[in-house]
Amino acid sequence: AAPAQPAAAAAAAVAPPVYELRDALQRGRYAISQARVDVVAQVAQDAPSATDRPSAAEAGPGVGVATLKELDEQAQAYKRNDHVIYRENFFDEATWAAIVEETKRLWKSKDMDPNCNLDGKNRLGGYILDHNHRNTSLYRLIYGNEQFRRWVSAVNGEGDMWPSDFPIELREYGRDSQGMGCHPDLQMYAVAKKDLEFAVTVDNDSKCQVTFYDAQRKVHKVNTKANSVMMVRANAAEHCVSPTEGGSRQILKFIYVGDYRKSDTFWQYTGNECGDENPNRRMMELRREPDSDHHTHSSILEL
């Protein structure tokens, strides 16, 4: 899906004052670097015995065994699909459980900056601020996930890929969502073949389908499942999101890159300032309320 405008904090050298999201991303980068050190150290160790095996938090985030099998075949399918791939049962059980719990916590916290470009009805959500260096941080679980990084690099086939300096977004297509029209993803970084956008489905009880067109213009439709990953190269496969028809679909959006130089388009997405009247901001405030069922508040958008 096309990225909505965030405060891509670390990208722009701006004189003080430093905005909250920019400051948070600097801390997020530090957490990512520490996570990489932890993962490399773990890989370097001899395999532990069953009795000495570390906990999931100690071992570092990972992906499922099947995810790393037949990588050549996955890469070929990715090319045939005009550089889009969809994989289910992607993360290992411990990593996925941690991702789900963290997303639940985030909706009730103030650790997200509402995306000013969403309307709170068709799309609800915001950019994740990483104030604390927790093992449950999504920046650690995804941006600090070395197995995930190696999968991305192998399937894309254009050299090493790394987490971008663009914030992770938690987004929901709610019960009344009309989805998104067909589009290729915008090119945010200088080299299109090294600019990849991801949608990780956290949960989906809707009839919403993602449609994409492969290199032969053949249509593919997917009802994305929890713990699935869709990877799309910039300026490549055209894709669309259909209405939810009464259910909801929750996703994580983020970017991996192989070259941190920016395209001209990137600089159009470095602001995220809006007041309390913004409908997405209002809906997110309601969702933070204890015991709130955010679906019951959709009428506020009509006020």
Side-chain angles (χ1 to χ4, degrees):
Q5 298 181 3
V14 180
V18 179
Y19 296 107
E20 183 182 35
L21 188 52
R22 182 174 295 112
D23 190 37
L25 275 182
Q26 294 285 6
R27 292 193 294 271
R29 281 177 168 177
Y30 173 79
I32 292 167
S33 67
Q34 293 303 300
R36 286 196 191 126
V37 170
D38 291 343
V39 170
V40 171
Q42 182 65 34
V43 170
Q45 294 177 5
D46 292 333
S49 66
T51 55
D52 295 332
R53 186 171 294 127
S55 67
E58 294 170 334
V63 301
V65 173
T67 299
L68 297 177
K69 291 183 176 180
E70 301 177 341
L71 289 175
D72 288 343
E73 288 83 352
Q74 292 187 55
Q76 291 171 15
Y78 174 67
K79 291 179 181 178
R80 288 195 302 271
N81 288 339
D82 195 15
H83 302 100
V84 58
I85 188 169
Y86 170 76
R87 295 283 296 181
E88 296 181 353
N89 299 313
F90 192 92
F91 294 97
D92 64 38
E93 290 184 8
T95 301
W96 183 245
I99 288 173
V100 171
E101 286 305 308
E102 179 65 358
T103 59
K104 291 178 180 178
R105 186 196 70 81
L106 283 166
W107 283 118
K108 295 296 184 181
S109 78
K110 292 188 176 182
D111 291 341
M112 285 200 292
D113 190 25
N115 184 335
C116 295
N117 294 282
L118 304 185
D119 64 7
K121 180 179 180 180
N122 289 299
R123 293 176 293 168
L124 170 75
Y127 303 103
I128 298 167
L129 309 175
D130 203 13
H131 301 289
N132 303 305
H133 308 312
R134 303 179 308 274
N135 280 340
T136 56
S137 162
L138 291 180
Y139 285 98
R140 178 180 183 275
L141 295 168
I142 296 174
Y143 277 7
N145 190 325
E146 177 65 8
Q147 291 183 1
F148 179 77
R149 188 194 71 78
R150 292 180 181 180
W151 177 84
V152 172
S153 301
V155 174
N156 189 53
E158 297 292 343
D160 281 338
M161 301 294 291
W162 305 94
S164 72
D165 51 358
F166 200 85
I168 297 174
E169 182 181 3
L170 175 56
R171 179 182 290 188
E172 182 178 76
Y173 294 82
R175 294 178 180 175
D176 298 319
S177 174
Q178 294 303 302
M180 291 184 69
C182 296
H183 62 280
D185 280 337
L186 292 176
Q187 182 179 339
M188 302 288 283
Y189 292 82
V191 182
K193 64 185 180 181
K194 297 186 177 185
D195 181 352
L196 310 178
E197 185 167 328
F198 295 81
V200 174
T201 298
V202 179
D203 59 50
N204 184 11
D205 64 0
S206 76
K207 296 180 180 179
C208 172
Q209 290 186 319
V210 177
T211 300
F212 67 87
Y213 298 83
D214 66 20
Q216 303 301 317
R217 295 298 295 173
K218 180 180 178 181
V219 177
H220 301 258
K221 294 187 177 183
V222 180
N223 184 263
T224 64
K225 300 182 184 302
N227 195 13
S228 67
V229 169
M230 182 167 280
M231 178 173 85
V232 186
R233 182 183 287 182
N235 288 337
E238 185 177 355
H239 52 285
C240 338
V241 181
S242 71
T244 52
E245 299 185 32
S248 65
R249 173 175 175 250
Q250 186 179 156
I251 65 171
L252 293 168
K253 287 170 50 66
F254 53 89
I255 299 173
Y256 263 62
V257 296
D259 188 324
Y260 285 91
R261 292 176 297 167
K262 311 299 188 288
S263 72
D264 291 341
T265 303
F266 182 93
W267 304 107
Q268 302 173 25
Y269 291 83
T270 56
N272 189 52
E273 299 177 30
C274 53
D276 293 339
E277 72 283 357
N278 177 271
N280 183 56
R281 184 176 293 277
R282 291 159 66 194
M283 287 297 292
M284 287 192 66
E285 288 292 338
L286 285 170
R287 183 158 182 166
R288 289 185 183 123
E289 295 177 359
D291 303 319
S292 171
D293 178 356
H294 68 285
H295 296 297
T296 64
H297 297 300
S298 59
S299 60
I300 190 174
L301 299 177
E302 308 300 329
L303 297 178

